[in-house]
Each structure stands twice: as structure tokens, then as C-alpha cells.
Amino acid sequence: QVQLVESGGGLVQAGGSLRLSCAASGRTFSSRSMAWFRQAPGKEREFVAGIRWSGESTYYADSVKGRFTISRDNAKNTVYLQMNSLKPEDTAVYYCAADKSWYTLVVPVTTHGYGYWGQGTQVTVSS
């Protein structure tokens, strides 16, 4: 089984930056695509960014393109989300997720594609 733990959330002003980290346990980390989702109060969980198991392809929601960057360090079993130019609309609980399958060609962009989830970390952006 895969266990994920997020960290790095906090309170920042609009225009500021945060870097989220997701530490993963399990020997198959390097074989799975990873993603970040977020969920604001009263809203559905939505895809934010994803990275292929091999690391050469990344995908972003339109709302964060040009501002967020997802990356991974397989040697450390960690995936990151660098968040710049933050907006109040980015306020949400951010979740790390691991693909339910190994070596998939396409990075899933829905919750159904992910079988493992972290507990979430709160990101609050003040105006």
C-alpha cells in the first residue's frame, strides 16, 4: 500500500508563494503518476496538477497554468507543488494523490484515476 503525507500549507497574502510537499511511502512510488487536487468549502474536489511516472510530462488546470509547477524527486519519494502569484481563489485544502496503476501512459485528471490520497494541507490566501 501507498501512504501519502502533505506539508507546506499555510496563510499567505495574494501574490505570495508556497511550496507544498508530499512524502510517499512504498517501493512503487517511481512507477506511479502523481497529482495534486484541491477542495474548497462547499465545492467538489478538483484537479490542479499532475506529473507522469517518468516525470517528462506535466499537466495543469487552466486556472493555475503559468503560476503553479509540479515536480517530483523519486530518490526522496516526494512530489512538490510550487505555487506562485497566489490568489484568494486558490484557498482550499490541497491533497496529494497517487495513480492506482503502474506505468500508465496518460495522467488521470479525475479522482477516479487515483487510488491513494493524503490527509490534505490547508492553503489560505488573503486579499
Side-chain angles (χ1 to χ4, degrees), residues 24-35:
S25 64
R27 58 186 176 86
T28 62
F29 174 79
S30 62
S31 302
R32 301 179 186 273
S33 295
M34 302 290 294

Side-chain angles (χ1 to χ4, degrees), residues 36-108:
W36 288 94
F37 287 76
R38 67 186 181 187
Q39 188 167 23
K43 296 185 177 181
E44 296 182 345
R45 190 169 298 185
E46 65 175 349
F47 175 82
V48 176
I51 185 167
R52 193 166 180 261
W53 63 268
S54 56
E56 84 280 4
S57 299
T58 57
Y59 306 87
Y60 299 93
D62 289 340
S63 59
V64 305
K65 286 181 179 178
R67 299 189 297 120
F68 292 8
T69 302
I70 187 172
S71 61
R72 66 190 299 162
D73 186 339
N74 289 345
K76 296 182 178 180
N77 280 4
T78 302
V79 63
Y80 305 95
L81 185 67
Q82 179 65 48
M83 309 163 65
N84 298 326
S85 301
L86 284 163
K87 304 175 180 179
E89 306 93 272
D90 296 318
T91 296
V93 176
Y94 284 70
Y95 297 90
C96 179
D99 195 336
K100 65 174 68 177
S101 302
W102 299 352
Y103 302 114
T104 53
L105 295 176
V106 179
V107 176

